[in-house]
Amino acid sequence: MKGSMTWTYVVHLLGLTACALGVPQKQAYRVKETVDPPTGWVQYSPAPADHIIDLRIGLPQDKFELLEQALYEVSDPHHHRYGQHLSKEEVDELVAPHPKSMNAVDEWLASHGIDMNSLSRSSAKDWVMVKVPVNLAEKMLDTTYHVWKHVESGVSLVRTTTYSLPEHVHDHVDLVTPTTYFGPLKGMSTTFHWSDAQPAALSSNAPPIKSASGTAVDASCNSTITISCLQQLYNITGYNSSAINGNKIGITGYLEQYANIQDLQSFYQEQRPDALGSSFNYTSVNGGQNSQNLSEAGAEANLDVQFAFGLTHPTPAYFYSTGGQPPYDPDLKTTTDTNEPYAEWLDYILSHPNPPQTISTSYGDDEQTVPQSYAVRTCAGFAQLGARGVSLLVSSGDGGVGDNDANATTTICKTNDGRNATRFIPTYPATCPYVTSVGGTVSIPEVAVYFSGGGFSNYFPTPLYQLGAVTEYLGHLPLNSYSGLFNRFGRGFPDVSAQGDYFRVWIGGKPAHIGGTSASSPAFAGVVSLLNDARLSKGLPPLGFLNPMLYTKGVKGLTDITEGNNPGCGTEGFNATTGWDPITGLGTPNFGLLKEIVLS
């Protein structure tokens, strides 16, 4: 008995001494997140112990439900708060973590010897960022990191398939990255070919074609889309925007896609001569670059800036180049091996007091490759932008309902949750309910382009603003149609659509044709920016989050697309039909009608 008491005393004394010295105590851990190794990735080797990871820790946003409520109220044209967008400070206050969560996380980090001065925090303090070596991250998260290689692309990443947190920290952390995110972020340009056509070929002597909305469109627009084509097709001709009313438009760039200014001048000379000599404001986010070497001009970036800025000139234009996806190389000890750039870009744009009122992004992942915790968290960041009066448009994807193959005998549309079940593959962030997802059309009159991404989210439920439209569509769909292939209760996408093929751009000093919903999103964004221009010139606030308006009074300003389908996963996909559908959404814009609606 005496010996036992002495031993207990010694253990207790040692524990106190360890605490005094700051030595982390053995804590009870519980798994926070775990995934099956995703298809196409193989474990290559243990991650080097001294490899530096930019660890990001997401704390629960204490009053997000109030932020969401405010978002819908200020975005609903029938609500008395419509247009009364929140300030940066008001949004930060609603998403700031509870002090208990901040204290719990700070104490956990300190217990591992991390100096509080080495931390950085997001504007609302809901993200904590710290650089740590792999061996420390493994202790903190009770896990083992490996170098993983993607068989097809050869890209390597440092990742783990599971991580844990101490019991007392569990409820104070939403997620930690980089951990289980293997998503191959990609641009949405599905077709690309060089064109030797000279400027004279951009117009036709043939009789004009009448669009579905009744506007007359040059016959050449059936084979080559230009700024003039979009102006004619979407009833923009004759509208002049302002350079001084405070309106701005932004384009996001990822994956070392560089927007070339010389190419932009060639594009302007050919298609928007009054813009010749103007350019855009470039911002580097997380080390993003924008090389002006013509050989490094990015097809995606050039497409986005040329058409979005060409449609809206002289509106001040902004291009954000976000770094974050170089291949892992242990010899270089890279500290930015993560391909999770949405959070990086959100950190920057949410810290800015006056972001552009309209922003377009043409990048995305297969939803299932994005951990649900990360998708939910970054989607919440997009909600913050909407509440502050930003209209965020995103491409719906270029795989139809999955792989764009209607005749596949061995489809790649498989779940990566261990079941390997055949299922349609939605695209993130197009499935986020707080963005406006843009699908693609082609030809005049317009029909759905075959590659237009569309379907239903497996992460996010159908939002209230589109419940009626989605319910009506599903009500006309045979009950057993594609049974088990999609989630009938998920957020439907896209919301709207625009032309998505045969866009004539300049890349590397030469003209080319590009197709993809990466063309549709900046095209629709250009129309939205012009609507914001009209409102600001009348002393009205910007539109902000568009969807509650589009699914109500705004639908009368859209041209319904009723033909076409988006094949994939061994099926014909979904059909375009009267009303909303998961390939062209509510339809394409008629600027003249929309302008009347948003100014009324």
Side-chain angles (χ1 to χ4, degrees):
M1 187 69 172
K2 183 178 180 181
S4 175
M5 290 179 63
T6 303
W7 175 245
T8 302
Y9 174 76
V10 171
V11 170
H12 178 64
L13 182 61
L14 288 173
L16 289 175
T17 302
C19 288
L21 293 175
V23 178
Q25 301 302 293
K26 182 64 178 177
Q27 303 168 2
Y29 273 73
R30 177 160 52 97
V31 173
K32 185 68 176 178
E33 193 163 30
T34 186
V35 299
D36 287 298
T39 303
W41 290 88
V42 295
Q43 192 179 106
Y44 179 70
S45 66
D50 59 350
H51 173 69
I52 301 298
I53 294 179
D54 290 324
L55 211 58
R56 299 176 57 91
I57 303 158
L59 282 63
Q61 297 169 329
D62 193 37
K63 301 175 183 175
F64 180 78
E65 68 281 359
L66 296 180
L67 183 282
E68 184 182 44
Q69 178 183 335
L71 168 68
Y72 283 125
E73 289 177 354
V74 302
S75 307
D76 179 357
H78 301 293
H79 197 280
H80 68 87
R81 290 186 65 189
Y82 182 59
Q84 298 176 28
H85 302 115
L86 307 186
S87 67
K88 172 188 176 297
E89 291 74 20
E90 289 171 326
V91 168
D92 282 353
E93 183 179 351
L94 290 176
V95 299
H98 194 281
K100 288 183 179 179
S101 295
M102 294 182 65
N103 291 336
V105 170
D106 285 354
E107 290 173 2
W108 168 54
L109 296 176
S111 75
H112 286 277
I114 295 175
D115 186 344
M116 292 297 103
N117 292 324
S118 68
L119 305 179
S120 59
R121 303 179 192 271
S122 61
S123 178
K125 297 182 171 55
D126 53 335
W127 285 100
V128 176
M129 289 77 76
V130 61
K131 297 179 185 293
V132 297
V134 161
N135 59 355
L136 179 54
E138 291 178 334
K139 293 176 183 176
M140 294 169 60
L141 303 175
D142 193 28
T143 189
T144 302
Y145 278 90
H146 286 86
V147 176
W148 291 78
K149 284 196 173 182
H150 190 248
V151 175
E152 183 177 346
S153 66
V155 169
S156 297
L157 297 172
V158 173
R159 291 293 186 271
T160 180
T161 56
T162 184
Y163 71 94
S164 301
L165 292 171
E167 282 280 4
H168 72 282
V169 176
H170 225 268
D171 293 338
H172 298 291
V173 172
D174 277 345
L175 75 163
V176 180
T177 69
T179 48
T180 61
Y181 186 170
F182 289 79
L185 182 71
K186 54 186 179 291
M188 297 300 181
S189 294
T190 188
T191 61
F192 174 80
H193 58 270
W194 295 109
S195 171
D196 294 325
Q198 298 303 306
L202 299 184
S203 61
S204 171
N205 292 322
I209 308 168
K210 182 169 284 190
S211 70
S213 64
T215 60
V217 183
D218 194 290
S220 66
C221 299
N222 250 326
S223 58
T224 299
I225 293 295
T226 63
I227 291 294
S228 177
C229 290
L230 295 178
Q231 289 172 328
Q232 296 170 51
L233 182 60
Y234 297 139
N235 195 17
I236 305 171
T237 304
Y239 183 83
N240 297 311
S241 58
S242 169
I244 59 173
N245 64 1
N247 192 36
K248 296 181 286 188
I249 184 170
I251 290 292
T252 65
Y254 301 101
L255 307 180
E256 299 179 349
Q257 278 282 319
Y258 305 140
N260 188 272
I261 295 173
Q262 183 177 330
D263 281 335
L264 180 64
Q265 299 307 310
S266 298
F267 176 85
Y268 281 163
Q269 184 173 29
E270 177 185 89
Q271 298 190 34
R272 189 78 201 243
D274 62 318
L276 194 61
S278 67
S279 189
F280 52 83
N281 300 279
Y282 152 64
T283 300
S284 171
V285 180
N286 192 39
Q289 302 297 309
N290 195 39
S291 168
Q292 290 304 298
N293 187 325
L294 270 179
S295 65
E296 297 184 78
E300 185 74 72
N302 274 14
L303 165 66
D304 290 350
V305 303
Q306 288 171 21
F307 275 87
F309 302 163
L311 275 172
T312 58
H313 176 78
T315 299
Y318 293 77
F319 176 67
Y320 302 97
S321 178
T322 302
Q325 201 201 18
Y328 169 76
D329 185 340
D331 293 328
L332 295 180
K333 298 293 188 297
T334 176
T335 62
T336 54
D337 69 325
T338 176
N339 67 338
E340 304 174 21
Y342 298 128
E344 300 284 359
W345 178 74
L346 280 166
D347 278 350
Y348 171 79
I349 203 70
L350 289 172
S351 70
H352 197 284
N354 296 298
Q357 295 90 342
T358 309
I359 299 176
S360 174
T361 187
S362 295
Y363 301 79
D365 298 295
D366 292 343
E367 187 185 64
Q368 68 172 356
T369 66
V370 182
Q372 188 167 2
S373 60
Y374 186 84
V376 168
R377 190 52 187 268
T378 50
C379 185
F382 301 143
Q384 294 176 55
L385 281 176
R388 289 178 54 184
V390 175
S391 300
L392 185 60
L393 298 104
V394 302
S395 301
S396 70
D398 292 341
V401 293
D403 59 4
N404 233 178
D405 191 347
N407 304 307
T409 53
T410 306
T411 178
I412 63 171
C413 300
K414 300 289 186 180
T415 60
N416 64 353
D417 57 3
R419 296 182 298 126
N420 204 35
T422 300
R423 198 163 174 92
F424 292 163
I425 307 296
T427 304
Y428 182 80
T431 55
C432 170
Y434 310 127
V435 305
T436 299
S437 174
V438 187
T441 62
V442 69
S443 302
I444 303 162
E446 292 178 278
V447 299
V449 69
Y450 71 95
F451 54 72
S452 182
F456 300 86
S457 173
N458 292 315
Y459 287 174
F460 302 99
T462 310
L464 186 60
Y465 62 74
Q466 70 166 187
L467 187 59
V470 169
T471 300
E472 183 176 355
Y473 176 82
L474 293 176
H476 292 94
L477 200 66
L479 191 60
N480 62 349
S481 182
Y482 304 148
S483 178
L485 291 180
F486 72 95
N487 174 22
R488 298 177 70 94
F489 304 101
R491 185 272 206 261
F493 75 104
D495 299 298
V496 291
S497 50
Q499 284 282 318
D501 211 352
Y502 308 120
F503 277 56
R504 182 178 170 98
V505 300
W506 282 77
I507 305 169
K510 296 188 294 182
H513 281 88
I514 287 184
T517 56
S518 58
S520 309
S521 184
F524 203 101
V527 175
V528 172
S529 182
L530 294 176
L531 293 173
N532 276 328
D533 176 85
R535 284 179 62 86
L536 291 170
S537 293
K538 292 289 186 179
L540 297 171
L543 291 167
F545 178 44
L546 297 168
N547 295 3
M549 182 274 291
L550 291 173
Y551 281 86
T552 53
K553 62 186 293 187
V555 72
K556 293 181 180 179
L558 300 170
T559 302
D560 194 10
I561 308 301
T562 60
E563 294 184 38
N565 62 295
N566 55 353
C569 307
T571 75
E572 293 299 322
F574 295 110
N575 292 319
T577 187
T578 302
W580 179 88
D581 54 70
I583 176 171
T584 63
L586 297 167
T588 58
N590 182 319
F591 173 75
L593 294 179
L594 285 169
K595 182 164 70 74
E596 292 179 9
I597 291 169
V598 302
L599 292 181
S600 64

